[in-house]
Amino acid sequence: PAYFLQESEELSSAYPMLPLAKVVKERKGTVDPQALGDSSINYLSLENVRPQTGELHNFKPKLAKEIKSRSKVFDENDVLYGKLRPELNKVYLCQGELNTGVCSGEFLVLSPIRDKINPIYLRHILASLYITSIVQKYRMGASLPRISINDLLKIEIPVPPIETQNQISQQLMEVDLKIKMLRRELDSLPYSQTSALVQSMVNGSKNLNI
């Protein structure tokens, strides 16, 4: 009933609105990690992706035999969209530190059509509040709601000319880099804080050198 009670979401854009199906393809390749035995593989789960920013979180390669379920394959420049509880907004761009590997079946693996959409632009659009608000009406399931690939691909997004996307993406990359730098600083502060406190107790200083 909620589907029919919600107003349709519309975005007023200076650029053409196209369904995702026109600019991405679903990558459907899968692999059985159990068949790889003691091999170390890049396996990404939903827990390894931070909400909103799409940063990696507590990621490290795993032994293939530790992964019990069939997994999806992803390649460089793919965008992984968390279909389980999509309101958590877990969207990962396969670039940089982790650009190839396998992932949980709770991701939808989207391969951008490169002459139509920039992967960085795609990731940020998918992580936007505009998309997050729309997917609410497509969720299925009560306790563990999910969105299907068919429903996701029918959502329309603004698609500027590829040259414009490239310019926008460069600016988005600069902000992403700043977020990572601030994240490292934030993560280091608790250790710096306690170390400075202990040092002040040792030398009798009233000022903490943080």
Side-chain angles (χ1 to χ4, degrees):
Y3 176 90
F4 298 99
L5 291 174
Q6 294 190 36
E7 296 182 0
S8 61
E9 300 288 342
E10 294 185 0
L11 175 65
S12 177
S13 173
Y15 302 109
M17 299 291 292
L18 296 176
L20 279 165
K22 295 290 186 179
V23 295
V24 304
K25 300 288 186 183
E26 181 190 12
R27 191 180 295 279
K28 298 182 179 180
T30 62
V31 65
D32 180 9
Q34 293 288 304
L36 303 178
D38 292 327
S39 301
S40 178
I41 62 174
N42 290 328
Y43 175 80
L44 193 69
S45 68
L46 285 174
E47 291 75 17
N48 297 134
V49 178
R50 289 187 184 273
Q52 188 62 40
T53 64
E55 301 164 89
L56 287 180
H57 177 63
N58 291 336
F59 169 80
K60 63 180 180 179
K62 300 182 67 172
L63 290 178
K65 65 182 181 181
E66 296 177 352
I67 304 167
K68 305 303 182 183
S69 58
R70 196 165 189 85
S71 303
K72 295 183 176 181
V73 176
F74 63 85
D75 205 349
E76 188 171 13
N77 294 317
D78 286 348
V79 175
L80 310 184
Y81 186 88
K83 68 177 182 179
L84 174 64
R85 297 181 63 195
E87 69 276 7
L88 294 180
N89 205 0
K90 297 197 172 190
V91 188
Y92 178 72
L93 173 61
C94 303
Q95 288 185 355
E97 179 182 353
L98 180 62
N99 54 25
T100 61
V102 298
C103 63
S104 164
E106 297 297 354
F107 283 109
L108 298 175
V109 183
L110 307 176
S111 182
I113 301 173
R114 294 302 301 275
D115 62 343
K116 294 184 178 180
I117 195 161
N118 182 296
I120 298 170
Y121 175 79
L122 173 63
R123 194 218 80 82
H124 283 273
I125 281 291
L126 288 174
S128 68
L129 292 176
Y130 164 66
I131 294 294
T132 303
S133 64
I134 291 178
V135 298
Q136 300 303 313
K137 66 181 180 182
Y138 289 124
R139 298 185 313 163
M140 298 177 293
S143 59
L144 295 173
R146 292 174 172 84
I147 184 171
S148 71
I149 183 65
N150 290 334
D151 286 335
L152 182 66
L153 292 181
K154 71 175 65 170
I155 296 175
E156 293 188 345
I157 63 169
V159 182
I162 195 68
E163 295 81 8
T164 301
Q165 292 183 44
N166 293 340
Q167 293 175 5
I168 292 172
S169 295
Q170 182 60 43
Q171 297 171 67
L172 292 170
M173 285 177 60
E174 292 172 1
V175 177
D176 285 341
L177 180 60
K178 184 176 181 180
I179 290 172
K180 291 178 181 179
M181 293 173 62
L182 290 173
R183 181 81 64 189
R184 286 195 292 268
E185 182 179 353
L186 178 62
D187 290 343
S188 69
L189 280 176
Y191 175 78
S192 300
Q193 185 183 50
T194 55
S195 295
L197 174 61
V198 171
Q199 188 61 36
S200 71
M201 296 299 99
V202 171
N203 59 28
S205 172
K206 298 179 180 179
N207 297 317
L208 300 183
N209 184 21
I210 300 177

